[in-house]
Amino acid sequence: MSQQGYVATPPYSQSQPGIGLSPPHYGHYGDPSHASSPQGMMKPAGPLGTAAPGMLLPPGPSPSVPHQFGQNGAHASGHPPQRFPGPPPVNNVASSYAPYQPSTQSSYPSPVSTSSVTQLGSQLSAMQINSYGSGMAPPNQGPPPRPPQPSILQPGSQVLPPPPTTLNGPGASSLLPPPTYRLDGHPGPAHPNAQYQPPPLPGQTLGTGYPPQQAASSGPQMAGAQLSYPGGFPGGPAQMAGPPPPQKKLDPDSIPSPIQVIENDRATRGGQVYATNIRGQIPPLVTTDYVIQDQGNASPRYIRCTTYCFPCTSDMAKQAQIPLAAVIKPFATIPSNETPLYLVNHGENGPVRCNRCKAYMCPFMQFIEGGRRYQCGFCSCVNDVPPFYFQHLDHIGRRLDHYEKPELSLGSYEYVATLDYCRNNKPPNPPAFIFMIDVSYSNIKNGLVKLICEELKTILEKLPKEEQEEMSAIRVGFITYNKVLHFFNVKSNLAQPQMMVVTDVGEVFVPLLDGFLVNYQESQSVIHNLLDQIPEMFADSNENETVFAPVIQAGMEALKAADCPGKLFIFHSSLPTAEAPGKLRNRDDKKLVNTDKEKILFQPQTNVYDSLAKDCVAHGCSVTLFLFPSQYVDMASLGLVPQLTGGTLYKYNNFQMHLDSQQFLNDLRNDIEKKIGFDAIMRVRTSTGFRATDFFGGILMNNTTDIEMAAIDCDKAVTVEFKHDDKLSEDTGALIQCAVLYTTISGQRRLRIHNLGLNCSSQLADLYKSCETDALINFFAKSAFKAVLHQPLKVIREILVNQTAHMLACYRKNCASPSAASQLILPDSMKVLPVYMNCLLKNCVLLSRPEISTDERAFQRQLVMSMGVADSQLFFYPQLLPIHTLDVKSTMLPAAVRCSESRLSEDGIFLLANGLNMFLWLGVSSPPELIQGIFNVPSFAHINTDMTLLPEVGSPHSQQLRMIMGIIQQKRPYSMKLTIVKQREQPEMVFRQFLVEDKGLYGGSSYVDFLCCVHKEICQLLN
Amino acid sequence: MATYLEFIQQNEERDGVRFSWNVWPSSRLEATRMVVPLACLLTPLKERLDLPPVQYEPVLCSRPTCKAVLNPLCQVDYRAKLWACNFCFQRNQFPPAYTGISEVHQPAELMPQFSTIEYVVQRGAQTPLIFLYVVDTCLEEDDLQALKESLQMSLSLLPPDALVGLITFGRMVQVHELSCEGISKSYVFRGTKDLTAKQIQDMLGLTKPAMPMQQARPAQPQEHPFVSGRFLQPVHKIDMNLTDLLGELQRDPWPVTQGKRPLRSTGVALSIAVGLLEGTFPNTGARIMLFTGGPPTQGPGMVVGDELKIPIRSWHDIEKDNARFMKKATKHYEMLANRTAVNGHCIDIYACALDQTGLLEMKCCPNLTGGHMVMGDSFNTSLFKQTFQRIFSKDFNGNFRMAFGATLEVKTSRELKIAGAIGPCVSLNVKGPCVSENELGVGGTSQWKICGLDPTSTLGIYFEVVNQHNTPIPQGGRGAIQFVTQYQHSSTQRRIRVTTIARNWADAQSQLRHIEAAFDQEAAAVLMARLGVFRAESEEGPDVLRWLDRQLIRLCQKFGQYNKEDPASFRLSDSFSLYPQFMFHLRRSPFLQVFNNSPDESSYYRHHFARQDLTQSLIMIQPILYSYSFHGPPEPVLLDSSSILADRILLMDTFFQIVIYLGETIAQWRKAGYQDMPEYENFKHLLQAPLDDAQEILQARFPMPRYINTEHGGSQARFLLSKVNPSQTHNNLYAWGQETGAPILTDDVSLQVFMDHLKKLAVSSAS
């Protein structure tokens, strides 16, 4: 929705002003009873260890297990089921738990009984203290006098089973060390650490209390008052963080670990078949491999929701402030072991649709009156079944052909559209690809033009085509340009291509129709001739100036003239400074950073690009941009059209042939072969009671409902936010139908329908346990990145922190079992929300630092806007794999480790990937045999870091590593450029930025600090 | 001296000049009473076999305002080595090179037979001729094919070092780059957007693009001697390429839906052609040759919209002020024509289409620049093909019959002033003492620019006698006029042709007979016709006719011999006898009558009328009719319906058409096949004779006339019937009661009626 909406409502999504929870309510902290209630509900599921995502292991503490879950110190260690370390073998771990136990809390005694809520006891101070205190204390102390419930970091409430994960195993597991210290504001704990007790007002007290320790604080801690967001959170959060870091830091292993969550999910649900027959069931995480069987709801590959249980009323929604959103990736790639979409063809009748709301026939339609009529599941309208579609019903009211018709039994399927669905009621022409190459001096000089031309020769052989067809129906055209445009006539009957120069860039036009867009096979020789000549033709050019908007305009006009949709592939290198529409000047003003005007840097410089994007979408022209900047190119302006037209942005800074060509070529190949639909209109229909209100992605909207996309490919996702209109009923649930009308690569007009049913509940706990953090982060990222255009970053960051705190506070207040105020209690489904949120906050887009290139920020901002859940997950929390421990026998990926420097070791080799970049980090004492195996050089010192491809060494390590890299790369839309990083060498700084749990290089707090910060916020809210 | 007729003919042959009056009335008052102004037809480059150019430069009068060229009329003091300018009477020293002159050792320019002399100027770089083809691609396939072949053929006719360029247009305008190997490259312009010369040059990269180029490859900077090198290349270098390029030329690929005209961007194409040359080769001889097959339908200069249901403007529309685009289009082309003229280039238009092509709007392009205008039905006709080929015809020296960038300067002795000129020229706006305030034609200047001319290009130049009545010129005084034409010869030499003529003054009161006898009625008719046609361009047709009639009546009153109020007594002397008849036919001619002609046709006819020499002009005014019969050798007959007899074959030459008309009997004979019978071979010869004569005319004429072979009752006979004097019409046929001739179905008055009326008015004291 409008940005204003956003502005008006601080929290993303639900727009409740202020905090829904009134402080008083928080009076009782994690009340076990609260917590338990959800449990109760879940009970049925409880037994299934597998069902509960939060739980790793069956209940049954296994001492050994805990260790690995360094992460959630919070979880009741006692409960084996949780990944939380039971008895912390490691000192740290153990300690961590302990601290959390709020001394005040009595609840924790029996972890088993405890609610499913995971409590993270204590605020930072507590945590920190714990970390160190625990080392000794726990053991010594034994159970604290108070039955301190360890801070319960309960896995999602759904977790139910026994072990509510308390943070500290303590309470739960007898084995756990007694919480030693309790520091919450409660005086109770007599503890060395007592000092940390947060005063009633966390901020103040902390501030005062800890000063001495500041010095002691180590790395991750933020020294400053603010969390790592310098200036970012002058407000509330800052204060909370204000306290000087305690001497000891909180043990990172004691806080929820994303890796642990991922691994747990993988272990419990990986490799299984996930049938979509149940409404509102929560799919496995995006990081888990599993097989999906469509049984009436769309596969999570197509749609993922932030929660699979909507609150029944808007009041509830406002109270929880959990965004209700779906991330829809309508063209998601389906693995080969899953069934591709069925195609329904009703001939001239076209799809069957509800007369009132125009929803398409789907499993949510209820047939009545012996099959003569059906009731729409979305608007409840009773419609006559068209005669051609009539079928009798069976004894349970189902049509006899239920299983024969995809639209009756499946969540996703396609319809062949009739002429009514076509532009001007004419069947569309097959789409065209136009390749537009910047032949200005820099591109010629660095060999890029030659590279592109060479590559096109092979790549054009692989134009996408329908499976049954021999030849791709896609036509191709070629344009080169610098400050003028060169069109090429490559008609098959020509002996030589013809070049037509259009110099009127002020009002660009298409100089030829016939012969510009051709079938590649037919014109192959002419095209090859052309591609051979292009590099030579401009070899002597030293034209430095380029145009940009006219290039897009030209492509769009060409498609318009040919009356077909299509895609432009633009290979561009520089700021378009030539006199023409869309001319840009260098306006990269670092002085704007961290001011209210910073947003300007993300806005296009001129509105030319905005209207151009509109035109492009109106004519089904998608723009994919390959950028090769060597300096500032004003990404915010250049990227706008690609972003709004469903294209993709690729950026190769300081392109060097020998380093970057592979990455570029992979991207190019991938992009051309991608599954893609053109000239698409998407519509999200919902059952009564709620509706889609806000949309994020590479889309353009001319009204409030139709999502227009010049093209949409398999990697693009649209995030849709829903809001209540009315009450939802638990019985009927919340139904979503997403319909995409598009043109296939062969020029067929089709409708792709995805249906998804969600549950509704009037219990907040249900809502919380059905949440999905990955989708939430996707939503938060997009909404925040969208807001970047209109609001100061500071405000945005505050809102994000506030809303995070709010969601958690609401949970704490309404769902968690009572516990000490100092306890941080996280719902199982949101255990990793803080760490991910912190990653989002640390993303360079939201980080106002002049050190970061403006272009890079704009680039990432635009990138994220159309990301799907899996991509955003990896993007914000990179995958860090230890390579030195690789089992060369196994084909599995090694277990990832948390993105923190502390996880690295001098004798280790680590691979880090975030979807854009890949780093191979080499510890100074990396085992020589590994180095030999991977690089084929004798020692660390011999490794040449100036490479982007690993040498193909025959050794098992090399093969294994390259295979792993292949797997990581495989599903990602962008080819990741590999950087070899040696420990303690300068490039390591870049690498460090991706260790997202640590304090950022350019600011951004560490995970621990952030957690503390959030905790303070929560406390404040609760009070 | 023999007769005036001989004198006139001799003068024409020697100097290419014909005056309306060969004895000049000596005062302004008397001159105006002569009705027909003192004027001449000048053919500046008239071909003269006996006129070898001299290889030095002319000697000029040293007075800055005069600068007349030394000529045979000058008085020379051989001893003092001085000469007196016969225009300003300045005494000039001969230049050092002339030290050796004496009465017996004279330079050519002093010899009387060299009243016309041509100098070759050696200085100045010689730039090759430039031919820029501007080709419409919205043609039918076979038309385009024929045009392509003609163009390819023309490459072989061009001088090898001439520069050629190619612009094609349809919906878009393409400027083809000719230099590149491999990929053929063209610059494309939108056909709807008018561009300034500066923009065009920027877009074509003609403005200082060489700089970076040279930096890029300093090694071979000489590779691009001209920035325009990419678009204009010597024929010998790229004739193969260009031939291929022309061969591959496709019809405009943009779809034309039913009921639409193709979108044709003639206006922009011409604009670009002009801009291209303007920026690169100002003031060098260049021809822009526009080949178009239809009206401009879009952009600046559009003449008609692309909706076929709205026809192109007719005279009717124009009179009703219903021609939407005419004014704007005309303005556009006039602007182009003027720019072109300033740069010394000329524009030819070759328009071949069945419908109008917008010549009315575009006429100024050739008219002001001295270009050709050719109108035909199709490029696939011999009319076009041969006409086009004839452009490149050569004279006896092997030089092209074309010259460029000429300036014509006229100097007069002080009793005369220059009133103006009519012809394919523009004013250079050079005011001077000899420029009259009264303008006839393009006046107000003593110099004109003629950007393209050929040996037949003829200008009408009008003078005014300014000598006052009270300052009589002594007996035997002579007035002199000098024409100085500087031009670029087709061999790229700069040349100067100087013609100096002198005529006697006579007092009109005492010596009217002399003046009368020296009247050149043919020249006078043509000169008056030019004035009439010139007026017709800007005035309503009837007004022009009335003016012409009034002039004729006044002339008759002045020079006729009659008794007042007695028409029967009216007589004209021999030297005037034909003049009324010329006027009669002129009134009926397509130059003044638009009825039955489209605006394009009118423009076409007028274009040619304003540039042809006297003979051709007379043919245009009064077509020639020859008769072939068994009664005697071929003979010219009256252009009269009475000449149309059954046993005659008629050959009519109207300049634009050659009509062969078989009389009724002849046609029947031919139908019966007598010509194939050996015993009637004479009939075969008779049939053949006009054909041969027609061929002769066809061969010599530019543009090639439309050739019409018809017979009695044939539909094409209308060409003949519309031209002859309708002495017999359906109205008077029976009254005359003669069996000869063919009645013409017309309400037009016949010559007889016209003359009767004229006499009546001439003798009337009322007027």
Side-chain angles (χ1 to χ4, degrees), chain A residues 132-332:
Chain A
Y132 104 53
S134 63
M136 50 235 321
N140 306 340
Q141 294 191 345
R146 302 283 195 94
Q149 176 167 24
S151 56
I152 313 178
L153 246 201
Q154 182 80 23
S157 43
Q158 40 188 70
V159 180
L160 34 129
T165 59
T166 27
L167 232 210
N168 305 312
S173 53
S174 46
L175 26 158
L176 275 193
T180 20
Y181 36 89
R182 232 2 314 109
L183 13 133
D184 316 313
H186 314 301
H191 208 268
N193 302 325
Q195 37 184 34
Y196 297 105
Q197 299 165 5
L201 292 182
Q204 301 173 343
T205 53
L206 290 176
T208 55
Y210 306 96
Q213 296 162 356
Q214 273 185 338
S217 68
S218 57
Q221 306 270 6
M222 287 298 297
Q226 331 287 0
L227 284 182
S228 46
Y229 310 104
F233 309 114
Q239 296 173 348
M240 326 184 50
Q247 307 162 329
K248 305 281 182 154
K249 53 180 182 177
L250 184 60
D251 175 9
D253 281 339
S254 64
I255 50 183
S257 153
I259 302 302
Q260 195 63 54
V261 172
I262 290 168
E263 289 300 327
N264 283 354
D265 193 66
R266 214 172 254 168
T268 51
R269 307 184 71 174
Q272 301 186 1
V273 173
Y274 172 82
T276 66
N277 52 348
I278 302 165
R279 190 178 80 189
Q281 68 177 328
I282 304 157
L285 295 182
V286 283
T287 43
T288 302
D289 274 333
Y290 55 107
V291 178
I292 297 166
Q293 200 174 58
D294 188 344
Q295 293 193 358
N297 282 297
S299 149
R301 299 195 201 283
Y302 295 122
I303 308 183
R304 276 190 172 264
C305 294
T306 52
T307 174
Y308 287 82
C309 178
F310 277 17
C312 277
T313 64
S314 62
D315 286 347
M316 257 178 87
K318 282 175 190 163
Q319 201 182 355
Q321 289 203 4
I322 295 175
L324 306 178
V327 185
I328 305 173
K329 203 172 174 185
F331 283 75

Side-chain angles (χ1 to χ4, degrees), chain B residues 214 218-225:
Chain B
Q214 286 177 9
Q220 58 258 82
Q222 71 280 17
E223 199 138 297
H224 297 277

Side-chain angles (χ1 to χ4, degrees), chain A residues 704-743:
Chain A
T704 54
T705 52
D706 293 329
I707 305 162
E708 295 180 37
M709 295 171 287
I712 177 160
D713 64 45
C714 58
D715 296 315
K716 300 290 183 298
V718 177
T719 300
V720 181
E721 186 182 8
F722 301 103
K723 290 215 171 86
H724 283 80
D725 268 345
D726 201 353
K727 278 194 173 163
L728 298 176
S729 130
E730 297 193 5
D731 294 340
T732 54
L735 308 181
I736 298 169
Q737 182 178 68
C738 159
V740 188
L741 176 62
Y742 72 102
T743 302

Side-chain angles (χ1 to χ4, degrees), chain A residues 746-767:
Chain A
S746 60
Q748 207 181 21
R749 201 74 175 145
R750 282 197 194 163
L751 276 156
R752 180 173 281 218
I753 316 283
H754 297 300
N755 303 293
L756 182 65
L758 303 175
N759 281 335
C760 293
S761 170
S762 48
Q763 301 297 319
L764 275 175
D766 290 338
L767 171 58

Side-chain angles (χ1 to χ4, degrees), chain A residues 590-844:
Chain A
K590 296 288 190 198
K591 286 205 265 318
L592 294 183
V593 170
N594 233 340
T595 69
D596 283 358
K597 287 186 177 166
E598 186 170 359
K599 61 190 177 192
I600 294 173
L601 296 177
F602 293 100
Q603 294 165 350
Q605 208 175 113
T606 121
N607 56 14
V608 168
Y609 291 101
D610 207 34
S611 51
L612 190 56
K614 284 195 176 112
D615 280 356
C616 283
V617 171
H619 294 102
C621 168
S622 171
V623 179
T624 282
L625 177 60
F626 293 84
L627 256 183
F628 307 88
S630 52
Q631 54 196 350
Y632 178 75
V633 292
D634 200 344
M635 196 69 210
S637 302
L638 295 191
L640 188 71
V641 179
Q643 198 215 327
L644 295 183
T645 58
T648 311
L649 274 170
Y650 299 92
K651 184 156 82 78
Y652 311 92
N653 293 330
N654 301 311
F655 184 85
Q656 281 177 287
M657 186 61 73
H658 64 288
L659 291 182
D660 303 305
S661 57
Q662 208 49 47
Q663 184 197 9
F664 160 60
L665 293 181
N666 287 340
D667 279 337
L668 178 58
R669 289 172 195 146
N670 191 12
D671 200 270
I672 285 185
E673 294 171 35
K674 243 178 207 183
K675 264 202 169 327
I676 186 167
F678 291 94
D679 201 8
I681 296 184
M682 179 162 115
R683 178 82 183 255
V684 178
R685 291 185 173 80
T686 53
S687 54
T688 47
F690 73 113
R691 67 194 159 85
T693 55
D694 215 346
F695 306 86
F696 311 93
I699 57 172
L700 200 71
M701 298 192 65
N702 287 319
N703 54 38
T704 54
T705 52
D706 293 329
I707 305 162
E708 295 180 37
M709 295 171 287
I712 177 160
D713 64 45
C714 58
D715 296 315
K716 300 290 183 298
V718 177
T719 300
V720 181
E721 186 182 8
F722 301 103
K723 290 215 171 86
H724 283 80
D725 268 345
D726 201 353
K727 278 194 173 163
L728 298 176
S729 130
E730 297 193 5
D731 294 340
T732 54
L735 308 181
I736 298 169
Q737 182 178 68
C738 159
V740 188
L741 176 62
Y742 72 102
T743 302
T744 66
I745 45 172
S746 60
Q748 207 181 21
R749 201 74 175 145
R750 282 197 194 163
L751 276 156
R752 180 173 281 218
I753 316 283
H754 297 300
N755 303 293
L756 182 65
L758 303 175
N759 281 335
C760 293
S761 170
S762 48
Q763 301 297 319
L764 275 175
D766 290 338
L767 171 58
Y768 275 96
K769 73 186 176 192
S770 302
C771 285
E772 217 219 11
T773 305
D774 294 330
L776 275 171
I777 289 298
N778 181 284
F779 171 84
F780 280 124
K782 287 189 185 181
S783 62
F785 285 9
K786 185 175 180 182
V788 159
L789 295 179
H790 311 285
Q791 287 189 303
L793 295 185
K794 195 177 85 179
V795 176
I796 293 167
R797 287 183 302 238
E798 272 168 22
I799 291 170
L800 283 174
V801 175
N802 287 342
Q803 194 171 356
T804 307
H806 206 118
M807 287 160 56
L808 297 175
C810 174
Y811 175 78
R812 171 70 180 270
K813 181 184 159 216
N814 297 301
C815 309
S817 44
S819 61
S822 59
Q823 271 191 314
L824 175 60
I825 302 181
L826 303 173
D828 189 59
S829 66
M830 294 185 186
K831 246 183 329 210
V832 292
L833 181 66
V835 61
Y836 283 177
M837 184 58 78
N838 188 37
C839 295
L840 168 58
L841 287 165
K842 291 165 76 167
N843 178 274
C844 65

